[in-house]
Amino acid sequence: MRRGGEKLALVQIISQQSIGADIFELTLEAPVDLRVFPYEPGQFLHIRVTDSFDFLLRRPLSLCKVDLIKNHLSVVYRVQGQGTRRLAAKRAGEILDVLGPLGHGYPKHKDDRAALLIGGGIGVPPLVELARQLRQDAQSVHTVVGFQTKAQAILVSELETYGPVTVVTNDGSLGNHGLVTDVLTQAFCADFDRYYACGPTPMLQAVQRRLSEWQLPGYLSLEERMGCGIGICVGCVHKISRNGRIAQLKTCKEGPVFDAQEVVFT
Amino acid sequence: MRRGGEKLALVQIISQQSIGADIFELTLEAPVDLRVFPYEPGQFLHIRVTDSFDFLLRRPLSLCKVDLIKNHLSVVYRVQGQGTRRLAAKRAGEILDVLGPLGHGYPKHKDDRAALLIGGGIGVPPLVELARQLRQDAQSVHTVVGFQTKAQAILVSELETYGPVTVVTNDGSLGNHGLVTDVLTQAFCADFDRYYACGPTPMLQAVQRRLSEWQLPGYLSLEERMGCGIGICVGCVHKISRNGRIAQLKTCKEGPVFDAQEVVFT
Amino acid sequence: MPASGCFAFGREVAAFYDLNRLGAIVVKATTLDERQGNETPRLAETPAGMLNSIGLQNPGVLRVIDEELPYLQQYDRLPVIVNVAGTAIEDYVQVVERLSQVNAVAAIELNISCPNVKCGGIQFGTDKQMAANMVRAIKQVAKVPVIVKLSPNVTDIVEMAVACEEAGADALSLINTLIGMQIDIEKRRPLLANGVGGLSGPAVKPIAVRMVYEVSSAVNIPVIGIGGIMFGADAVEFLMAGASAVQVGTANFVDPFACVRIIDELGAWCDAHGVRSVIELIGAAKGERGVVRS
Amino acid sequence: MPASGCFAFGREVAAFYDLNRLGAIVVKATTLDERQGNETPRLAETPAGMLNSIGLQNPGVLRVIDEELPYLQQYDRLPVIVNVAGTAIEDYVQVVERLSQVNAVAAIELNISCPNVKCGGIQFGTDKQMAANMVRAIKQVAKVPVIVKLSPNVTDIVEMAVACEEAGADALSLINTLIGMQIDIEKRRPLLANGVGGLSGPAVKPIAVRMVYEVSSAVNIPVIGIGGIMFGADAVEFLMAGASAVQVGTANFVDPFACVRIIDELGAWCDAHGVRSVIELIGAAKGERGVVRS
Ligand SMILES: Cc1cc2nc3c(=O)[nH]c(=O)nc-3n(C[C@H](O)[C@H](O)[C@H](O)COP(=O)(O)OP(=O)(O)OC[C@H]3O[C@@H](n4cnc5c(N)ncnc54)[C@H](O)[C@@H]3O)c2cc1C
Ligand SMILES: Cc1cc2nc3c(=O)[nH]c(=O)nc-3n(C[C@H](O)[C@H](O)[C@H](O)COP(=O)(O)OP(=O)(O)OC[C@H]3O[C@@H](n4cnc5c(N)ncnc54)[C@H](O)[C@@H]3O)c2cc1C
Ligand SMILES: Cc1cc2nc3c(=O)[nH]c(=O)nc-3n(C[C@H](O)[C@H](O)[C@H](O)COP(=O)(O)O)c2cc1C
Ligand SMILES: Cc1cc2nc3c(=O)[nH]c(=O)nc-3n(C[C@H](O)[C@H](O)[C@H](O)COP(=O)(O)O)c2cc1C
Ligand code: FES
Ligand code: FES
């Protein structure tokens, strides 16, 4: 069942910029016409970093920003291993083999008034376009982002254009000292209709536990190793409790964004 | 036993030029100081076309020309498969991983007066520097080169700077019509002290047979698939009759140039 | 050109092209009961290949019949081959019995070679007596041709192939994955949650070509070549080694269009080489030279 | 870190660096009589690997003793391990007897796994009874430790390993090459003159790591890891899988400095990770998770 946007395309790199310690923003021609196939924040692109067999599998990177007029997209990524290192060596003008946008992003709730966005580390990028779209729907947006240290803090000013941003760092080098969950007190959370989280698994787990206590509904964007990105290898599953049973659902196809209530951590 | 020149080096590409149908001349910084380690025509460079595991093995390419002042070397090669295709995509300024010069080239015979050089197709390149060195030793040089067709004829004018050149093409589109051996009549060969041949195996075999009839001594440069290029994999052997027995000698180390009398074709 | 077990049940790829363009489709391994598969990580990238330890996740034969096969029936020119797995002969027999009641199934592929399940199918794939028993049992209940998928993790694949042929197999497909492991040296433990996984992709192609060459020389039933096919030229290589058809696995993960691209490339290769039918290519590499079997 | 059979007899690499920097050297397979090896082409490149069908070309044990080993004796800190091959137990025994008369030999590596000779060593490498007989016979004549090099072309390498251990092997080394084939589709025949050849290089690393992991869990003698090691990190992977040492083969062909580079990279990795001795790494990946053997 084609959802509309999945497409395999060779697109041009518009720009590649270093925006933090080993963190890059890569802007691309969009593989699809974004006005015809509007993408959901939380969806991802599945990128071939070279055509060499050394990097046989594609790398999933979340959509971060969109330029509807130029039909450009950007992703923000950290150099994690050899594949992202190779990607970081690419320059404007080079051609990239891109599949996507793929997956289910964050659903829309038009009647909500106040959204809480929670991001950790390299999980922050998808929140940027999410914040923009939520503001477009006239919701208020408050974002809480956590980083290891100041040098890794990214996209804060972008997020500030859509509403207040609370920054937390593990070492206190920027904003509050501690973890994002330290900010998520009952009083703080009382004002929101819903939350939207993306970040490392331990953070998601802590956020889920904390916010289910305060009975705040929300969404988690999960990260699993992916093969195909389109649902045919069944490599990327996560335990999801749905319709009274726990199933291993594909994060590339049924996710990566799931209703926080459904996500089972083991 | 180090012969002097073998070296592993990262060298810069000085230029890459198309000089025929799918044939390129690649000029490099020399990996060694050529005035300290003068190389022998017939030696080769062993080149890594990329650091990808897709092309794990190096490619052997014969030295063609030398610029002692700039300390540059050139190789001339035909795009044969994926590896040479990859090499052809490299541009001036890029860095190449090069091992060499390797192997035994054409020996010198200072007392000779007239040399016959015989080249076929992509076997012609090593003859260029050979001709130059023979002329330097005050020998006269006559070259016979054979090509499939005119579009593949290369390095003829370079060779003409050192002496007369007889061109033969299989289809008659340039020079004589036929095979190089058609030129090698007894009368034609009578004037030479020695011959030096490089080319495809069937040509070498025909040349060896013909010129042994006319009792002209000479050398053949053999082509076998190589692994290491330095004598440790024992992949590149050819049957050589020496000291009364036939042994499988390594063309990378004991060759690629052998005394024509010793080479056994099966 | 048929596609292999790395295609789920076809729905996802149908978003990219018309499945009627395929020679056939081999759906994901189907077991008697639903299986959740192994823990994650289930995938690792290796030099020119990948490891997987999916562990036969599938909804079970009844739901496959009810929910998946009807979808594929809309493709009228697409023979559907169902890959069957299990842990005991009785499981296999029951699955095949159920599938035999469904028109939509053109053939059964017996997966006696999956390396990713505890006490799993691979015993059948490494013991020729067990394999032969299995094939005989299945042939009694199957109403469609039975293809036996062989494991490369054996000392002598020819022996296995001959045993399956003698037991009545209609065709053989090979190879399944080789058992491998990758270690996450930062975490100091195997990267896959399951420890070991199945190696596939271009890295295994030379092993697969060798086995296809040997097996097709020893049996009289058709052999389907599998292992590391990425381009049309790879398919040509398998055909020349003696395969009558090929399956494409890992390549689909890299390029959703892989199967149809490879079909096109194969056609273009044949045109450029004056080959009128791929049948001319089958076993073409066997003529001239005797090959030493060591 | 010792180097493997892809090093000839050391002379050539000695042109690039001081062989004393190596942990040991394993010289090319030595047979009783001189062997000319197979016809060419003997080499083919494959995805992330290569095939070879050298066919044990070597000057025979007497000339190895007379011409090659004396050269290596100038390297006073370099234990010399001689890889021994043959076609019958008696051949092996005679070679080992001859080598036992020479001081220069620190250990024998029994190559019961070379896939490249007709009626060759590989039978010993795929039949546990034959392997055990061989090891027992050799242990009777050998005056130095005997390392048995195992073939990966078997259904159950653990069974082979245990049989060799019980027969008295002092150590095991694994893996030798996997049997593979490449077809030259233009010429329509196998690319190697010998048809099949041995697959080595990064492509086989996941298989080798898995086998080292399994074997080192099952035996009490040291295991030497081999297969696709190109970088220091690969050596770390083998050590964590349970190897006590590693050998580097194909990498020497790509980079003559491979062995010393890998030693340096391994040292740097240890420094960066607070590891004082590589001994700390041996088997480190085995702690936390039980690994499913399928
Ligand atoms: C849905 C999704 C969205 C993502 N979005 C982003 C993003 O916006 N920015 C960003 O920096 N990263 C993102 N990641 C993580 C990113 O995909 C990995 O960091 C990247 O693939 C690592 O590749 P590598 O070659 O550098 O690492 P290597 O370790 O060399 O990769 C080897 C293999 O492991 C996989 N892998 C390695 N680490 C991870 C990981 N943490 N998660 C999943 N697979 C991994 C790779 O894809 C590859 O197949 C996302 C992951 C998922 C699943
Ligand atoms: C001593 C020597 C000198 C040479 N000098 C030249 C030269 O000056 N100019 C030139 O154009 N060519 C030369 N060749 C041939 C050249 O090395 C091959 O054409 C080239 O390696 C092909 O690589 P590829 O990746 O394009 O082909 P592929 O077929 O993709 O290569 C696959 C593998 O096969 C080997 N191979 C393929 N064809 C040959 C061949 N004909 N001979 C040896 N190995 C081969 C490659 O090295 C590689 O390992 C020489 C070969 C030798 C042995
Ligand atoms: C993720 C994954 C899942 C697989 N699942 C199955 C399966 O369910 N049944 C089966 O017989 N083979 C299965 N295989 C094996 C493939 O069908 C194929 O035999 C193997 O991957 C080699 O081919 P390739 O190199 O083209 O991938 C699977 C392979 C992969 C990579
Ligand atoms: C060209 C070549 C020659 C080899 N010769 C021998 C040999 O003589 N004896 C032996 O035991 N192994 C031999 N091997 C196998 C290697 O020692 C090693 O086990 C195998 O190549 C895997 O390691 P690698 O991937 O690091 O090359 C040879 C391998 C190659 C590639
Ligand atoms: S990545 Fe293949 S199914 Fe999700
Ligand atoms: S190429 Fe390795 S010995 Fe000649």
Side-chain angles (χ1 to χ4, degrees):
Chain A
M1 285 151 297
R2 186 143 204 177
R3 305 189 54 251
E6 310 97 325
K7 205 184 156 199
L8 183 67
L10 295 173
V11 300
Q12 212 182 7
I13 297 178
I14 304 299
S15 67
Q16 165 105 274
Q17 279 182 293
S18 164
I19 64 162
D22 267 341
I23 301 179
F24 295 85
E25 175 163 2
L26 179 71
T27 306
L28 303 170
E29 288 181 291
V32 291
D33 183 336
L34 295 169
R35 282 159 306 189
V36 181
F37 300 107
Y39 83 81
E40 300 165 7
Q43 286 189 301
F44 64 94
L45 293 180
H46 213 27
I47 297 178
R48 195 91 204 273
V49 295
T50 107
D51 59 3
S52 156
F53 290 162
D54 294 355
F55 303 95
L56 198 61
L57 300 178
R58 294 171 179 274
R59 269 58 178 165
L61 295 176
S62 302
L63 291 164
C64 174
K65 293 183 207 162
V66 62
D67 181 330
L68 289 173
I69 294 158
K70 296 188 183 149
N71 207 42
H72 291 170
L73 292 171
S74 82
V75 292
V76 167
Y77 64 96
R78 184 170 58 212
V79 171
Q80 179 85 11
Q82 293 304 321
T84 41
R85 185 178 313 281
R86 187 63 70 102
L87 188 61
K90 301 245 176 208
R91 294 286 158 262
E94 289 188 59
I95 297 297
L96 211 56
D97 177 351
V98 167
L99 181 61
L102 298 174
H104 282 87
Y106 295 100
K108 294 223 157 84
H109 293 269
K110 298 259 177 196
D111 300 334
D112 282 4
R113 282 175 313 163
L116 170 60
L117 276 52
I118 308 166
I122 203 64
V124 171
L127 303 184
V128 176
E129 173 65 4
L130 174 64
R132 190 186 69 82
Q133 293 198 12
L134 290 169
R135 285 297 299 146
Q136 225 169 25
D137 293 349
Q139 298 190 31
S140 79
V141 171
H142 189 133
T143 308
V144 179
V145 287
F147 303 100
Q148 296 275 342
T149 180
K150 186 178 171 180
Q152 278 159 25
I154 46 166
L155 301 170
V156 175
S157 61
E158 279 88 341
L159 287 165
E160 280 170 345
T161 57
Y162 307 112
V165 177
T166 307
V167 178
V168 183
T169 52
N170 292 5
D171 63 357
S173 54
L174 188 71
N176 301 12
H177 188 209
L179 302 170
V180 290
T181 38
D182 298 340
V183 177
L184 306 177
T185 57
Q186 186 160 21
F188 178 84
C189 294
D191 296 337
F192 300 106
D193 295 307
R194 205 171 306 272
Y195 76 91
Y196 302 83
C198 186
T201 305
M203 181 199 98
L204 295 181
Q205 204 168 349
V207 165
Q208 183 204 45
R209 198 176 317 114
R210 173 67 53 93
L211 297 185
S212 73
E213 276 179 47
W214 316 147
Q215 264 128 46
L216 189 65
Y219 294 99
L220 306 178
S221 179
L222 302 180
E223 190 177 303
E224 290 285 349
R225 285 190 169 237
M226 288 189 179
C228 63
I230 58 169
I232 61 176
C233 75
V234 201
C236 63
V237 298
H238 195 96
K239 292 204 179 65
I240 299 294
S241 161
R242 196 175 275 182
N243 307 328
R245 54 195 291 277
I246 295 177
Q248 296 261 41
L249 296 193
K250 295 173 276 195
T251 57
C252 69
K253 189 85 187 165
E254 280 101 8
V257 175
F258 291 95
D259 189 328
Q261 280 185 50
E262 298 182 333
V263 177
V264 180
F265 290 106
T266 43
Chain B
M1 287 150 296
R2 187 144 205 174
R3 305 188 54 250
E6 309 96 324
K7 204 183 156 199
L8 183 68
L10 294 173
V11 300
Q12 212 181 9
I13 296 178
I14 305 298
S15 67
Q16 165 105 274
Q17 278 181 293
S18 164
I19 64 162
D22 267 341
I23 301 179
F24 295 85
E25 175 163 3
L26 178 70
T27 307
L28 303 170
E29 287 181 292
V32 290
D33 184 336
L34 295 170
R35 282 158 307 186
V36 181
F37 300 107
Y39 81 82
E40 300 166 6
Q43 287 189 302
F44 64 95
L45 294 181
H46 213 27
I47 297 179
R48 194 92 205 273
V49 296
T50 107
D51 59 3
S52 157
F53 290 162
D54 294 355
F55 303 96
L56 199 60
L57 301 178
R58 295 171 179 272
R59 268 61 178 164
L61 295 177
S62 302
L63 291 163
C64 175
K65 293 184 207 161
V66 63
D67 180 331
L68 288 173
I69 294 159
K70 295 188 182 150
N71 207 41
H72 291 172
L73 293 171
S74 81
V75 292
V76 167
Y77 64 95
R78 184 169 59 212
V79 171
Q80 179 84 8
Q82 293 304 319
T84 42
R85 186 180 311 282
R86 188 62 71 103
L87 189 60
K90 301 245 177 209
R91 295 283 159 264
E94 289 187 60
I95 297 297
L96 211 57
D97 178 351
V98 168
L99 180 62
L102 299 174
H104 283 86
Y106 294 100
K108 293 223 157 85
H109 293 269
K110 298 258 176 196
D111 299 335
D112 283 4
R113 282 175 313 162
L116 170 60
L117 276 53
I118 307 165
I122 203 64
V124 172
L127 303 184
V128 177
E129 173 65 5
L130 174 64
R132 190 186 69 81
Q133 294 198 11
L134 290 169
R135 285 294 301 145
Q136 224 168 27
D137 292 350
Q139 300 189 30
S140 78
V141 171
H142 189 132
T143 309
V144 179
V145 287
F147 302 101
Q148 296 275 342
T149 180
K150 186 178 171 181
Q152 277 158 26
I154 46 166
L155 302 169
V156 175
S157 61
E158 279 88 340
L159 287 165
E160 280 170 344
T161 56
Y162 307 112
V165 178
T166 307
V167 179
V168 183
T169 51
N170 292 5
D171 63 357
S173 54
L174 188 72
N176 300 13
H177 187 210
L179 302 170
V180 290
T181 38
D182 298 340
V183 178
L184 306 178
T185 58
Q186 187 161 20
F188 178 85
C189 295
D191 296 337
F192 300 105
D193 295 307
R194 203 174 308 273
Y195 75 92
Y196 303 83
C198 185
T201 304
M203 181 199 98
L204 295 181
Q205 204 169 348
V207 166
Q208 183 203 45
R209 196 174 321 112
R210 173 68 51 95
L211 296 186
S212 73
E213 277 178 46
W214 317 147
Q215 264 129 46
L216 189 64
Y219 295 98
L220 305 178
S221 179
L222 302 179
E223 189 176 306
E224 290 285 348
R225 286 191 169 237
M226 290 191 177
C228 64
I230 58 170
I232 60 175
C233 75
V234 202
C236 63
V237 298
H238 195 96
K239 292 203 179 66
I240 300 293
S241 161
R242 196 175 276 183
N243 307 328
R245 53 195 294 277
I246 295 176
Q248 296 260 40
L249 296 193
K250 294 173 277 193
T251 57
C252 69
K253 188 86 188 163
E254 280 101 7
V257 174
F258 290 96
D259 190 329
Q261 282 186 49
E262 299 182 332
V263 178
V264 181
F265 291 106
T266 43
Chain C
M1 286 298 104
S4 108
C6 314
F7 218 68
F9 292 93
R11 286 178 202 267
E12 294 78 10
V13 179
F16 290 93
Y17 59 82
D18 178 358
L19 298 185
N20 272 325
R21 293 185 59 197
L22 296 172
I25 175 172
V26 188
V27 301
K28 180 104 193 90
T30 297
T31 53
L32 188 57
D33 300 315
E34 175 171 8
R35 288 184 64 114
Q36 295 284 1
N38 293 322
E39 296 296 305
T40 59
R42 291 178 171 186
L43 300 174
E45 193 179 61
T46 69
M50 61 175 284
L51 291 168
N52 87 82
S53 59
I54 307 301
L56 297 181
Q57 178 171 346
N58 81 96
V61 64
L62 292 183
R63 276 174 58 206
V64 167
I65 290 172
D66 288 349
E67 296 167 19
E68 304 293 347
L69 297 183
Y71 171 82
L72 289 172
Q73 281 194 281
Q74 67 183 283
Y75 297 99
D76 51 331
R77 280 174 288 132
L78 181 69
V80 176
I81 301 173
V82 180
N83 185 278
V84 174
T87 47
I89 294 201
E90 302 75 58
D91 298 352
Y92 281 84
V93 168
Q94 284 191 47
V95 174
V96 172
E97 277 176 345
R98 301 263 154 88
L99 290 170
S100 291
Q101 288 152 15
V102 187
N103 271 331
V105 180
I108 299 286
E109 181 176 63
L110 278 190
N111 179 358
I112 58 168
S113 49
C114 179
N116 283 321
V117 270
K118 228 185 288 198
C119 316
I122 205 164
Q123 270 101 332
F124 301 111
T126 58
D127 181 312
K128 72 177 168 179
Q129 200 51 58
M130 283 174 82
N133 291 343
M134 162 83 85
V135 172
R136 263 188 293 271
I138 296 299
K139 279 299 286 180
Q140 276 172 11
V141 294
K143 304 215 173 68
V144 292
V146 174
I147 304 162
V148 182
K149 183 160 179 182
L150 300 179
S151 168
N153 300 291
V154 294
T155 306
D156 187 350
I157 196 162
V158 169
E159 189 184 85
M160 292 296 303
V162 170
C164 291
E165 180 184 35
E166 285 171 357
D170 298 294
L172 301 171
S173 59
L174 58 146
I175 59 174
N176 209 315
T177 53
L178 284 134
I179 309 172
M181 177 187 280
Q182 190 169 70
I183 286 170
D184 183 331
I185 62 176
E186 298 302 327
K187 297 198 177 135
R188 302 191 175 202
R189 64 179 187 217
L191 195 145
L192 298 177
N194 189 50
V196 298
L199 182 65
S200 63
V204 309
K205 195 182 67 170
I207 301 169
V209 168
R210 185 264 297 183
M211 291 183 165
V212 165
Y213 189 101
E214 290 177 347
V215 166
S216 62
S217 304
V219 299
N220 294 308
I221 49 179
V223 170
I224 301 168
I226 322 170
I229 298 175
M230 303 296 283
F231 302 111
D234 301 325
V236 174
E237 201 179 346
F238 275 91
L239 293 167
M240 288 188 177
S244 302
V246 297
Q247 290 179 17
V248 174
T250 304
N252 295 295
F253 305 161
V254 182
D255 172 8
F257 292 97
C259 285
V260 284
R261 177 178 50 73
I262 290 168
I263 293 172
D264 291 344
E265 288 167 356
L266 176 59
W269 193 94
C270 288
D271 290 346
H273 290 76
V275 172
R276 269 160 310 177
S277 157
V278 293
I279 295 169
E280 294 174 30
L281 301 177
I282 299 172
K286 292 191 185 177
E288 305 175 42
R289 260 180 200 176
V291 166
V292 176
R293 166 124 178 85
S294 46
Chain D
M1 286 299 104
S4 109
C6 312
F7 217 68
F9 292 94
R11 285 178 203 268
E12 294 78 9
V13 179
F16 291 92
Y17 58 83
D18 179 358
L19 298 185
N20 272 324
R21 293 184 58 197
L22 297 172
I25 176 172
V26 188
V27 301
K28 179 102 195 97
T30 297
T31 53
L32 187 56
D33 300 315
E34 175 172 7
R35 288 184 63 115
Q36 295 284 2
N38 294 321
E39 295 297 305
T40 59
R42 293 177 171 187
L43 300 174
E45 192 178 62
T46 69
M50 60 175 286
L51 289 168
N52 86 82
S53 59
I54 307 302
L56 298 180
Q57 178 171 346
N58 81 96
V61 64
L62 292 183
R63 277 176 57 208
V64 167
I65 291 172
D66 287 348
E67 296 168 19
E68 303 294 348
L69 297 183
Y71 171 82
L72 288 172
Q73 280 194 284
Q74 67 182 282
Y75 297 98
D76 52 330
R77 280 173 289 132
L78 181 69
V80 176
I81 302 173
V82 180
N83 185 278
V84 174
T87 46
I89 292 199
E90 301 73 61
D91 298 353
Y92 280 85
V93 167
Q94 285 191 47
V95 176
V96 172
E97 277 175 346
R98 302 262 154 87
L99 290 170
S100 292
Q101 289 151 16
V102 189
N103 272 332
V105 180
I108 300 285
E109 181 175 63
L110 279 190
N111 179 359
I112 58 167
S113 49
C114 179
N116 284 321
V117 270
K118 229 185 288 199
C119 317
I122 205 166
Q123 270 102 331
F124 302 109
T126 57
D127 181 313
K128 71 177 169 178
Q129 199 51 57
M130 285 174 80
N133 291 344
M134 162 83 85
V135 174
R136 263 188 294 270
I138 295 300
K139 278 299 287 181
Q140 275 172 11
V141 294
K143 302 216 173 69
V144 292
V146 174
I147 304 163
V148 182
K149 183 159 178 182
L150 301 179
S151 166
N153 301 291
V154 293
T155 306
D156 188 351
I157 196 163
V158 169
E159 189 183 85
M160 292 296 302
V162 169
C164 292
E165 180 184 35
E166 285 170 357
D170 299 295
L172 301 171
S173 59
L174 59 147
I175 58 175
N176 209 315
T177 53
L178 284 134
I179 308 172
M181 176 186 282
Q182 190 170 69
I183 286 171
D184 184 330
I185 61 175
E186 298 301 328
K187 298 199 177 134
R188 300 190 177 203
R189 64 179 187 215
L191 195 144
L192 299 177
N194 188 49
V196 299
L199 182 66
S200 63
V204 309
K205 195 182 67 170
I207 301 170
V209 169
R210 185 264 298 182
M211 290 183 166
V212 165
Y213 190 102
E214 289 176 351
V215 165
S216 63
S217 303
V219 299
N220 294 309
I221 50 180
V223 170
I224 301 169
I226 322 170
I229 298 176
M230 304 295 284
F231 303 111
D234 301 325
V236 174
E237 201 179 345
F238 274 91
L239 293 167
M240 287 187 177
S244 302
V246 298
Q247 289 179 18
V248 174
T250 302
N252 295 297
F253 305 161
V254 182
D255 173 8
F257 293 96
C259 285
V260 285
R261 177 177 50 73
I262 291 168
I263 293 172
D264 290 345
E265 288 167 355
L266 177 58
W269 193 93
C270 289
D271 290 347
H273 290 77
V275 172
R276 269 159 310 176
S277 157
V278 292
I279 295 171
E280 294 174 30
L281 300 178
I282 300 171
K286 293 191 183 176
E288 305 176 41
R289 261 180 198 175
V291 166
V292 177
R293 165 125 177 85
S294 45

